[in-house]
Amino acid sequence: MPSNDVRILAQAAVPTAAVGAIAAVVSGVVVGGKGAIGAGVATLIVILFMGIGLYVLQRTAKSLPHLFQAMGLMLYATQILLLFVFMAAFKNTTLFHPKAFAFTLVAGTLAWIAAQTRAHMKSKLLYVEPDKSGHSS
């Protein structure tokens, strides 16, 4: 993964982890240990799903640039659908507090999207890659 991609990944993952940590503390205080566990699991799921999505999107951009926008839209729709599937699958669990899990899942997703958007806006990406051979036509 090129350094710019790693930088964008870090700039999105760190704020998401911070939101997850805050949610874990708040959930732990409000509903106890199961709330903190639910928030922690949700944070890990968001970082994993969104990180994999960013990786896939960056690979698509390099290998099939003409499909980048469509792939991005499809990828975000799939990620949101999978997050809803996780919320539905764990809504009656006794392993952790399902509401803390759901709220953290939504908050983490919004934090990731906002942080990734900010990282892309601040990065100085070339719209056209320079000719690698060194001469222009």
Side-chain angles (χ1 to χ4, degrees):
M1 194 177 246
S3 64
N4 193 41
D5 297 343
V6 173
R7 190 175 316 117
I8 289 173
L9 179 66
Q11 288 176 346
V14 170
T16 304
V19 166
I22 292 168
V25 170
V26 170
S27 297
V29 169
V30 173
V31 293
K34 287 192 176 198
I37 293 170
V41 169
T43 302
L44 290 176
I45 288 172
V46 168
I47 290 173
L48 180 69
F49 276 17
M50 296 298 188
I52 290 170
L54 180 62
Y55 176 74
V56 168
L57 197 56
Q58 294 301 331
R59 285 188 54 111
T60 301
K62 287 176 183 34
S63 62
L64 303 165
H66 59 284
L67 294 178
F68 179 70
Q69 186 175 15
M71 184 67 172
L73 291 172
M74 184 187 76
L75 184 67
Y76 277 123
T78 303
Q79 286 173 329
I80 297 300
L81 179 66
L82 284 173
L83 291 174
F84 279 126
V85 166
F86 264 84
M87 285 196 312
F90 289 108
K91 73 178 180 181
N92 294 323
T93 187
T94 58
L95 298 172
F96 49 77
H97 195 272
K99 285 187 180 179
F101 174 77
F103 284 128
T104 305
L105 206 59
V106 171
T109 301
L110 293 175
W112 180 282
I113 291 170
Q116 184 179 356
T117 301
R118 183 177 185 274
H120 276 292
M121 288 175 59
K122 289 186 71 172
S123 68
K124 300 204 179 354
L125 297 175
L126 297 173
Y127 290 101
V128 178
E129 291 192 28
D131 187 17
K132 295 180 182 176
S133 63
H135 46 81
S136 61
S137 312

